[in-house]
Amino acid sequence: MKNRAETSGIEQKSAPPAGGQGFVRLEGVSKRFGDVVALHEATLDVRRGEILTLLGPSGGGKTTLLNLVAGFLLPDSGAIHIAGQPVTEVPPYRREIGVLFQNYALFPHMSVAANVAYGLRMRRLPRPEIARKVAETLALVRLVGLENRTPRQLSGGQQQRVALARALAISPKVLLLDEPFSALDKNLRGSMQLELKEIQRKLGVTTIFVTHDQSEALSLSDRIVVLSEGRIRQVGTPGEIYRRPTERFVASFVGDVNVLRARLEEVDGEAAQIAIGAAKLAVPAGTLRGCAPGAPVELFIRPEQLRLAETGDETACEGVVSAHSYQGGHVDLHLASEAAVSGRILMRWPGTEAIARWPVGTRIAVACAGTEAVAFPASPS
Amino acid sequence: MPRRPFLRAFVSPAALCAIAFVAAMAAVLQFSVRAYIPGSLDPGGFTLVNFAALLKPLYGRVFLDTVWICFITAVCTLVIGYPVAYALVRAKGAFLKSAMLIVVVTPLFLGEVVRTYSWIVVLGNNGFVNTVLLKLGMIERPLQLMFTSFGVVLALVHVTLPVMVIMLAAALSHIDPDYERAAESLGAGPIRAFLSVTLPLSTPGIVAGVTTAFAWTFSAFATPQLIGGGQVNMVSNLVYQLGFASFNFPFAASLSVVGLVLAFGMIALLRAGLRPLEAVGPQ
């Protein structure tokens, strides 16, 4: 293993995002707590330099997966590799990982500088080098001048920067972030997310990020792993996850979605023809295996993929406006419709004109604006 | 006090207790400056002769022994109690936790006399320890465990341990386990993580525990009386002898007063000595 003391500075790890494959590698990793399966046969490659987000509802297994990579938990079966080394049995203090905890876990009895220096002291680096790296890392997170404060004297955002600096100072092979933004207020969260992404790009450190916030996952990640009930549901870029979910759970967990009753017309290779009302739509056939033509299916379509049917349009369905909700940049139009499985359809309208044009009670026809949608076999109900 | 209608009602029992304590202390203080009339339970006129008599080396020795025994007991209790408290706090599972807590607290449930007698059964010449060692052939003659400061300290540690463990556990339970995980993720092995993070963060508990253990032991009576058997004397034993064997109440009172002052002085000294440690812990 490379001696950390010889590496120079914290910028030496710059690697192009999505360089080699499987910088962190999980092979069939399972973990149970008593009777509860926290993680089932997880196989995953984290590419060098990427931000990979573990997204899912609480209890989905994302924190378990993170703790397994960190070494805080040992898997019941399976193997974990970091940078080509098997680390399944390696304790956390020899894994060279940086962890940003949800509550930051800054040492309250140490100054900011001592917190950041902690990992370097544990590596027994010479004093001048520790001082240099601490200064460098604090500059990176823009905390110069606060070296001698204690964590208690800092704001939430500053505490998070210290925690990030402490994790980065040791030039970790992998940076693990456990819901780091959940304690911050909304405005600060946004700017910290941007800053984190910038720093991550600058250092090129492979990052695994846990969140249950789907918009955070979409905006921050190179790739997203969606987990639920201890299983990996889908791995893909934010665009793939949002636009081409391969599982019903993924489609409904990430982003707003309308579920409309439709019918399978025919399957032609990789594409399937879906009929909804008078409209026809091509969707990926992969999610409809085992469905015969004519079978009822459920069409998952995003609000922005729907629009008002104009003359000449093929109407997909009809609905009655039941509520408007003004969102600043756009208006959410809620329709009551029998075509939707939940009885409700959500449409987006830029500006505010929608409120005046279609008052509550107006019956409107809906058409599909794009072809971006997925379909799943109708759930037995 | 219109906004705190129950304040008076709730404070009055405490006030009554305080008045009773102050009255008792005043009586002791008053006795300590009265002359002893041999053969009479009533004290004579005001005098400082009792305090002058305390300057004899015999009494100085008892004070020194008391402080020493308290100190050793506090240190031993800390060393034994810390791992127990740590295990208690970090143990997973409610059953294991309660089981440990019950075992730890049991010494407090036994009366002082019962507990001390059971130590006599263990430490005596025909007691458990000596019998076992003799049967195993590890010793030829019984070890002298009774009537030694070792025996006294052992029994005192036993009764002080619950207090120490509870105070340390209270302090340790406020330390987020994520601190240790953070330390480990940064390259600290379990021992270094403990020494650099958990131990310093628990110093308020250590200071409180040691101070309380010290005060707790300083007032010990039955344990040194029965296990020390006159060979190991602490301040309270001397007070008892003077008061109830010699019926020299004024002298016993002056000894009590000096003992009390000494106890306060030692605790103040202890706190001052531990203050640098406390500055390390969280505010």
Side-chain angles (χ1 to χ4, degrees):
Chain A
M1 208 165 275
K2 191 164 59 172
N3 186 353
R4 289 276 130 194
E6 287 165 12
T7 58
S8 65
I10 44 180
E11 312 219 9
Q12 37 82 32
K13 293 202 62 198
S14 296
Q21 288 256 329
F23 189 71
V24 177
R25 209 186 156 80
L26 278 79
E27 287 166 6
V29 174
S30 295
K31 179 75 189 172
R32 339 171 117 253
F33 298 110
D35 291 337
V36 182
V37 179
L39 196 65
H40 180 78
E41 300 273 322
T43 296
L44 183 65
D45 278 328
V46 187
R47 295 172 191 155
R48 189 183 186 107
E50 77 172 338
I51 300 188
L52 181 95
T53 297
L54 306 177
L55 175 67
S58 47
K62 52 194 194 310
T63 301
T64 302
L65 203 161
L66 193 83
N67 284 334
L68 286 164
V69 174
F72 298 140
L73 292 175
L74 288 178
D76 297 330
S77 60
I80 302 170
H81 297 259
I82 296 177
Q85 308 279 336
V87 296
T88 316
E89 305 284 323
V90 174
Y93 50 93
R94 295 212 194 93
R95 287 198 186 188
E96 301 187 55
I97 44 159
V99 184
L100 184 50
F101 292 84
Q102 188 168 9
N103 56 5
Y104 316 139
L106 292 174
F107 305 132
H109 57 304
M110 296 182 195
S111 69
V112 166
N115 264 282
V116 178
Y118 188 88
L120 304 168
R121 283 200 289 122
M122 292 303 128
R123 282 163 175 71
R124 303 191 196 283
L125 296 192
R127 257 166 203 279
E129 175 144 13
I130 292 180
R132 190 176 58 75
K133 282 205 171 191
V134 168
E136 215 171 84
T137 317
L138 283 176
L140 182 77
V141 298
R142 301 198 281 118
L143 274 181
V144 177
L146 299 180
E147 289 82 355
N148 296 321
R149 301 269 186 96
T150 63
R152 244 167 265 257
Q153 296 168 308
L154 302 178
S155 69
Q158 289 171 328
Q159 289 183 14
Q160 177 160 59
R161 286 160 199 268
V162 178
L164 183 62
R166 184 177 68 177
L168 288 174
I170 58 171
S171 308
K173 288 181 176 155
V174 187
L175 181 62
L176 304 174
L177 310 167
D178 185 10
E179 307 229 9
F181 304 116
S182 56
L184 301 177
D185 67 63
K186 204 174 171 229
N187 293 330
L188 192 55
R189 198 182 302 169
S191 64
M192 283 305 299
Q193 286 168 359
L194 278 180
E195 202 169 323
L196 176 79
K197 197 163 178 172
E198 271 174 36
I199 291 171
Q200 192 272 343
R201 285 279 177 270
K202 208 179 205 172
L203 303 181
V205 57
T206 308
T207 302
I208 302 177
F209 175 84
V210 162
T211 185
H212 64 265
D213 180 335
Q214 37 104 357
S215 70
E216 194 168 277
L218 290 173
S219 67
L220 212 59
S221 333
D222 293 312
R223 289 194 305 150
I224 296 175
V225 178
V226 182
L227 287 128
S228 80
E229 293 168 341
R231 284 158 203 270
I232 292 179
R233 301 295 174 180
Q234 188 174 356
V235 183
T237 64
E240 286 164 0
I241 296 286
Y242 187 75
R243 289 158 52 202
R244 295 283 182 232
T246 55
E247 280 205 32
R248 181 185 291 270
F249 171 80
V250 177
S252 48
F253 186 74
V254 181
D256 293 320
V257 73
N258 296 299
V259 186
L260 306 179
R261 292 195 184 89
R263 199 163 43 79
L264 178 62
E265 290 269 277
E266 55 169 338
V267 177
D268 177 17
E270 288 301 299
Q273 278 291 332
I274 301 290
I276 173 160
K280 301 234 186 313
L281 210 63
V283 300
T287 53
L288 288 170
R289 285 193 211 297
C291 278
V297 297
E298 286 172 4
L299 185 72
F300 283 65
I301 189 161
R302 303 289 176 193
E304 61 273 17
Q305 297 288 323
L306 292 177
R307 65 178 169 80
L308 225 71
E310 284 159 20
T311 8
D313 274 344
E314 287 158 333
T315 304
C317 59
E318 290 190 342
V320 176
V321 176
S322 61
H324 305 105
S325 115
Y326 178 58
Q327 301 288 337
H330 67 267
V331 171
D332 280 347
L333 212 56
H334 297 273
L335 309 181
S337 168
E338 297 195 340
V341 170
S342 65
R344 300 170 80 71
I345 294 179
L346 175 66
M347 291 174 74
R348 296 246 147 88
W349 212 267
T352 55
E353 55 157 358
I355 299 178
R357 260 181 81 183
W358 301 289
V360 171
T362 320
R363 186 166 194 87
I364 55 178
V366 179
C368 301
T371 55
E372 241 166 48
V374 287
F376 297 97
S379 48
S381 55
Chain B
M1 279 167 279
R3 302 195 49 196
R4 291 181 286 180
F6 298 115
L7 188 68
R8 208 176 289 230
F10 283 1
V11 163
S12 43
L16 283 176
C17 286
I19 290 168
F21 278 130
V22 169
M25 287 307 298
V28 171
L29 204 64
Q30 187 257 121
F31 259 102
S32 72
V33 288
R34 301 288 285 273
Y36 169 55
I37 303 167
S40 160
L41 289 179
D42 292 320
F46 288 96
T47 173
L48 284 175
V49 78
N50 297 318
F51 289 99
L54 281 174
L55 294 173
K56 281 187 199 160
L58 168 70
Y59 300 114
R61 181 67 213 262
V62 172
F63 281 121
L64 271 182
D65 281 355
T66 305
V67 169
W68 181 240
I69 286 173
C70 291
F71 180 73
I72 294 289
T73 305
V75 170
C76 291
T77 320
L78 176 65
V79 170
I80 299 168
Y82 200 101
V84 179
Y86 190 84
L88 187 63
V89 170
R90 290 285 189 266
K92 293 196 175 67
F95 177 78
L96 185 62
K97 248 182 194 171
S98 339
M100 287 177 70
L101 192 65
I102 287 168
V103 171
V104 164
V105 178
T106 307
L108 290 181
F109 294 160
L110 303 169
E112 197 179 5
V113 174
V114 174
R115 191 180 56 242
T116 309
Y117 267 114
S118 50
W119 274 110
I120 296 177
V121 173
V122 173
L123 298 177
N125 280 358
N126 300 316
F128 174 75
V129 173
N130 277 319
T131 312
V132 169
L133 290 179
L134 279 170
K135 295 262 177 188
L136 288 174
M138 293 173 78
I139 50 173
E140 284 165 10
R141 285 182 299 113
L143 295 175
Q144 185 61 48
L145 299 172
M146 284 296 291
F147 317 125
T148 62
S149 4
F150 171 78
V152 171
V153 167
L154 194 64
L156 284 175
V157 167
H158 180 224
V159 65
T160 316
L161 203 56
V163 183
M164 180 67 91
V165 169
I166 288 167
M167 299 198 82
L168 287 175
L172 283 168
S173 66
H174 287 118
I175 302 175
D176 190 335
D178 271 353
Y179 289 138
E180 269 172 56
R181 294 169 137 211
E184 288 197 27
S185 75
L186 291 164
I191 294 169
R192 282 218 280 174
F194 173 78
L195 290 178
S196 63
V197 175
T198 312
L199 186 63
L201 289 178
S202 64
T203 41
I206 295 176
V207 173
V210 167
T211 315
T212 312
F214 197 90
W216 186 259
T217 318
F218 209 94
S219 60
F221 170 70
T223 305
Q225 182 77 10
L226 293 173
I227 294 181
Q231 303 297 308
V232 182
N233 281 316
M234 292 176 69
V235 175
S236 33
N237 305 118
L238 208 57
V239 172
Y240 176 80
Q241 280 166 29
L242 289 170
F244 295 94
S246 321
F247 294 103
N248 188 344
F249 286 159
F251 195 37
S254 66
L255 198 63
S256 307
V257 169
V258 173
L260 190 68
V261 170
L262 185 69
F264 275 126
M266 287 312 297
I267 289 166
L269 215 71
L270 206 59
R271 288 224 94 119
L274 292 173
R275 187 160 301 138
L277 262 183
E278 206 160 11
V280 173
Q283 292 95 327

